[in-house]
Amino acid sequence: MKIVVCVKQVPDTKGGVVFNPDGTLNRAAMLAIMNPDDKAGLEAALELKDKYGAEVTVLTMGLPKADEVLREAMAMGADKGVLVTDRVLGGADTWATSQTIAGAIRNLDYDLIITGRQAIDGDTAQVGPEVAEHLHLPMVTYVQKIVDYDEAAKTITVERQFDDRYMVVKAKLPCVLTALGELAEPRYMTPGGIFDAFDKEVTVWGRKDLKDVLDSDLGKVGSPTQIAKASDKVRKGAGEVKKDLSPAEAVDYIVEKLQAKHII
Amino acid sequence: MDFTLDKKHLMARQLFKDFAEKEVKPLAQEIDETERFPRETVEKMAKAGFMGISIPKEYGGQGCDPLTYVMCIEELAKQCGTTAVIVSAHSSLCADPILMFGTEEQKQKYLPDLAAGRKLGAFGLTEPGAGTDAQGVQTKAVKDEDGNWVINGSKIFITNGKEADVYVIFAQTGTKLDKKGRTQKTFTAFILEKGMPGFTFGTKENKMGIRASATYELVFNDVKVSDAQRLGAEGKGFPIAMHTLDGGRIGIAAQALGLAEGALDRTVAYVKERKQFGRALAQFQNTQFQLADMATKCQAAQYLVYAAANAKATKDRYSVEAAMAKLCAAEVAMEVTTKAVQLHGGYGYMKEYDVERMMRDAKITEIYEGTSEVQRMVISGALLK
């Protein structure tokens, strides 16, 4: 089985957030980690590899320094890394990003594509499903567990999470899964894996290597979303504590406050 | 000369740091208090490859250099001195001599299990009458008519004691005349396995520090082993022990370094929070100067420890580098942890604060695998020869 895992390098929430003047994130200036949902997806792929044998390719789009997440993925056990990086691809929203990733995946052999549900920097949860659409593949989102892989029938059975229940879905391969963080607990890298990861070559692709995509669908130009304003988290003022009210008085008090602010 | 780490070493350090903070730190206080050997941590470390960092890949190890190994011990010790010494004794004192002096058969038999952490290693040299003075070893191995060995005696203060599976031990097998015509005992190294008839464990030691490390007495009562268990040549045990301890000292130096750095980290955080006379402790010049001294000493120790690791990677003999690293790092550990407790004031004396444990853990680094005095003998011996 050949598995492609899409990962994203995201700002580490432990570090500060730095914006470019146009409101996009200044990724080069921030501490970065592998997006947690993607990492769970990678772990699921590595578990499939351990169990059934598979070749796992990790793919990322980003700045040249996004090479770090590929090395990390390889140090955990992924076989190959592909970095898609090009100035003309910068400033991409989810549409242009998914076009880029689909354009890269068209060059690869795959039975299964796993992406994270969403990235902690944008939280859109759009790129995975969009990639599936561009590649005309079936897709299961919000995967919380991989139940079974049938090599002969070429199907995968997974649990798809809902608020209070889950659905068991069997999908024909090739397909796309979007992984929840709880899909799998990521393993640690191994020291030897780290050494090997830096001995291996990472494939670097630019615009010219993307297959069947239009320039008008890529980068900032190809992005329908424009950021109007971005700001750091605004601190709210201190709340008000009222201890001496009965429940009925408390309700009246809150309603009055909400009306004053024209919320209700 | 370049003092910066390359990308792979930086990533390895991050791995060790993340692991230690997530898996080791939460247990440190509890296992110290209860003297419980952290088996679950050993299993997690085994899974992540930490038990075979510098064992070559052909024997199932990680195939990394001594610097990577040292950084692992250092990061573990920042959170827990016990966990660090479990790995150090296993790797430096058991796997290393088998790798260095073992036959191909012995390497194939023991290294893959040690590298994968399926088996834990230990080392036995010290005896009640033989600490710094190795000539005091009383344990004897006698060859019988079939060429097998019968071992009798005991070893004390053995790290990983009852928890280990494979032991490299030393026994007297003969005598020889030294250059001055004095009779000297000669020793031979053997690989023993837990469960061999006659091989039992004595008392578990109740220690000041590294309390979760299982320190036991090993007892040999007519332990019969085949000649295939002999490690290295007959009578060559002493050089094997000394060479092994050179490597071990780098591991202990890294443990000491980690304890010092861990105590410094905690103190920096504490003095920013703790207020006296209306100001944070960090605002007092005494605090600032103490911290500056502590940080400078940690940095100096780190350079010596890393240099010793590099010497191990590139040179056949590195006794002096190892001795200097251990001497410096151990004394820095004791000094920095003591200052850390002092800067914490009364709270530093309480068990809820990590620096209390770290100060107790630091003391042993000045004693085991060669006291600071022995390190001074090694260093001055090389200067004056």
Side-chain angles (χ1 to χ4, degrees), chain A residues 2-10 33-43 45 56-62 66 69-70 73 78 80-84 97-106 108 110 112-119 126-132 135 137 175-179 183 205:
Chain A
K2 293 196 170 181
I3 308 174
V4 175
V5 182
C6 300
V7 299
K8 184 180 186 183
Q9 191 177 42
V10 294
I33 53 167
M34 192 189 303
N35 182 52
D37 286 356
D38 305 353
K39 207 168 179 177
L42 171 63
E43 174 60 31
V56 177
T57 302
V58 270
L59 172 78
T60 194
M61 168 190 175
V69 282
L70 299 178
K80 291 179 183 171
V82 179
L83 169 65
V84 184
T97 299
S98 59
Q99 290 283 3
T100 304
I101 291 169
I105 293 180
R106 287 189 189 101
L108 300 169
Y110 56 84
L112 180 64
I113 297 169
I114 303 179
T115 74
R117 167 193 51 167
Q118 64 194 50
Q126 292 168 2
V127 174
E130 286 175 4
V131 167
L135 297 172
L137 293 173
C175 73
V176 177
L177 307 178
T178 78
L183 173 59
W205 285 341

Side-chain angles (χ1 to χ4, degrees), chain A:
Chain A
M1 178 164 49
K2 293 196 170 181
I3 308 174
V4 175
V5 182
C6 300
V7 299
K8 184 180 186 183
Q9 191 177 42
V10 294
D12 188 345
T13 45
K14 279 185 259 169
V17 178
V18 189
F19 291 109
N20 288 318
D22 67 355
T24 53
L25 289 171
N26 182 351
R27 294 178 188 280
M30 290 184 286
L31 288 174
I33 53 167
M34 192 189 303
N35 182 52
D37 286 356
D38 305 353
K39 207 168 179 177
L42 171 63
E43 174 60 31
L46 294 174
E47 285 171 11
L48 286 170
K49 177 183 170 180
D50 292 344
K51 211 163 162 192
Y52 304 102
E55 185 189 75
V56 177
T57 302
V58 270
L59 172 78
T60 194
M61 168 190 175
L63 296 171
K65 89 168 196 153
D67 170 83
E68 293 162 4
V69 282
L70 299 178
R71 304 281 177 194
E72 184 183 349
M74 291 194 287
M76 286 168 68
D79 300 285
K80 291 179 183 171
V82 179
L83 169 65
V84 184
T85 185
D86 201 318
R87 277 179 173 278
V88 300
L89 302 174
D93 68 359
T94 61
W95 173 259
T97 299
S98 59
Q99 290 283 3
T100 304
I101 291 169
I105 293 180
R106 287 189 189 101
N107 294 316
L108 300 169
D109 277 341
Y110 56 84
D111 301 294
L112 180 64
I113 297 169
I114 303 179
T115 74
R117 167 193 51 167
Q118 64 194 50
I120 55 170
D121 53 356
D123 276 330
T124 66
Q126 292 168 2
V127 174
E130 286 175 4
V131 167
E133 285 298 313
H134 299 320
L135 297 172
H136 306 294
L137 293 173
M139 161 191 63
V140 186
T141 51
Y142 304 102
V143 174
Q144 66 173 11
K145 190 178 174 189
I146 293 179
V147 181
D148 187 40
Y149 162 61
D150 188 331
E151 207 166 357
K154 286 259 168 204
T155 58
I156 194 154
T157 308
V158 301
E159 288 178 8
R160 179 170 189 240
Q161 192 183 80
F162 288 86
D163 279 348
D164 58 347
R165 66 200 67 195
Y166 61 86
M167 183 189 273
V168 178
V169 184
K170 187 192 269 188
K172 238 183 165 23
L173 300 179
C175 73
V176 177
L177 307 178
T178 78
L180 294 175
E182 53 266 50
L183 173 59
E185 173 71 27
R187 67 193 63 190
Y188 286 101
M189 298 180 276
T190 59
I194 293 172
F195 274 50
D196 288 347
F198 281 95
D199 289 340
K200 282 186 197 163
E201 197 124 323
V202 159
T203 306
V204 181
W205 285 341
R207 163 65 186 104
K208 63 176 174 31
D209 302 299
L210 303 179
K211 209 168 159 188
D212 300 336
V213 264
L214 300 170
D215 282 332
S216 56
D217 279 329
L218 296 173
K220 203 154 188 237
V221 194
S223 298
T225 319
Q226 298 298 326
I227 296 161
K229 188 184 164 223
S231 66
D232 216 337
K233 206 158 135 190
V234 181
R235 288 195 181 279
K236 291 180 189 162
E240 191 184 340
V241 181
K242 297 291 269 184
K243 285 180 176 169
D244 47 354
L245 301 179
S246 71
E249 286 169 338
V251 169
D252 289 343
Y253 188 80
I254 292 169
V255 168
E256 196 181 301
K257 285 272 172 190
L258 292 174
Q259 280 170 340
K261 290 187 180 228
H262 302 290
I263 294 169
I264 53 173

Side-chain angles (χ1 to χ4, degrees), chain B residues 107-356:
Chain B
K107 291 184 204 180
Q108 296 288 355
K109 184 175 176 189
Y110 292 108
L111 291 179
D113 282 343
L114 290 169
R118 285 186 292 270
K119 288 191 173 164
L120 188 66
F123 172 91
L125 175 65
T126 302
E127 295 186 10
T132 296
D133 176 14
Q135 278 292 315
V137 165
Q138 299 286 324
T139 296
K140 281 196 172 68
V142 179
K143 214 184 226 173
D144 66 16
E145 56 271 25
D146 306 326
N148 296 324
W149 296 90
V150 180
I151 304 173
N152 278 291
S154 69
K155 299 285 172 185
I156 55 162
F157 302 161
I158 305 308
T159 304
N160 291 347
K162 207 173 180 177
E163 299 291 336
D165 307 281
V166 180
Y167 302 77
V168 170
I169 66 111
F170 298 83
Q172 187 198 342
T173 49
T175 55
K176 66 168 187 186
L177 293 178
D178 69 6
K179 285 176 197 159
K180 292 176 183 165
R182 294 174 302 198
T183 304
Q184 296 278 337
K185 292 175 184 171
T186 58
F187 305 102
T188 301
F190 295 92
I191 307 172
L192 299 192
E193 293 174 31
K194 185 188 260 168
M196 285 177 160
F199 175 16
T200 55
F201 302 95
T203 48
K204 182 184 178 185
E205 303 298 342
N206 182 7
K207 307 185 297 294
M208 172 196 276
I210 55 164
R211 287 173 55 78
S213 157
T215 311
Y216 274 88
E217 180 185 14
L218 312 182
V219 181
F220 314 121
N221 197 357
D222 283 336
V223 179
K224 255 194 184 173
V225 297
S226 78
D227 197 45
Q229 298 303 115
R230 173 171 47 80
L231 179 64
E234 192 178 328
K236 295 292 180 199
F238 189 69
I240 291 175
M242 291 305 113
H243 195 280
T244 301
L245 285 172
D246 285 343
R249 283 165 190 167
I250 301 174
I252 299 308
Q255 182 202 19
L257 171 63
L259 285 165
E261 291 170 328
L264 175 60
D265 289 347
R266 283 155 177 82
T267 308
V268 168
Y270 182 80
V271 298
K272 286 184 191 165
E273 306 247 314
R274 172 74 171 165
K275 285 200 168 71
Q276 290 287 275
F277 303 105
R279 286 193 292 168
L281 291 188
Q283 289 172 292
F284 292 92
Q285 195 179 48
N286 174 60
T287 310
Q288 295 160 2
F289 282 11
Q290 297 282 350
L291 288 176
D293 287 349
M294 290 158 79
T296 304
K297 286 181 177 175
C298 285
Q299 184 64 76
Q302 192 187 51
Y303 283 146
L304 271 180
V305 175
Y306 288 8
N310 278 332
K312 186 173 193 290
T314 52
K315 293 163 76 171
D316 286 339
R317 296 311 307 266
Y318 40 86
S319 308
V320 172
E321 290 91 337
M324 286 178 172
K326 181 174 182 286
L327 172 63
C328 172
E331 294 194 344
V332 165
M334 202 59 236
E335 187 182 334
V336 169
T337 54
T338 307
K339 283 186 171 179
V341 168
Q342 190 68 21
L343 284 169
H344 276 70
Y347 289 106
Y349 200 67
M350 299 299 139
K351 284 188 182 284
E352 298 95 284
Y353 282 79
D354 290 342
V355 290
E356 181 272 342

Side-chain angles (χ1 to χ4, degrees), chain B residues 37-99:
Chain B
F37 184 84
R39 179 55 69 178
E40 69 272 44
T41 310
V42 173
E43 281 167 13
K44 286 176 190 166
M45 292 194 291
K47 216 172 152 194
F50 295 5
M51 305 308 279
I53 292 176
S54 43
I55 298 175
K57 286 208 162 127
E58 56 186 303
Y59 300 113
Q62 298 291 315
C64 298
D65 53 11
L67 178 60
T68 309
Y69 164 69
V70 153
M71 291 194 304
C72 176
I73 305 291
E74 179 188 358
E75 289 298 331
L76 294 173
K78 279 187 194 176
Q79 308 304 337
C80 172
T82 287
T83 307
V85 78
I86 292 169
V87 179
S88 183
H90 164 89
S91 309
S92 293
L93 300 186
C94 183
D96 248 23
I98 294 174
L99 177 66

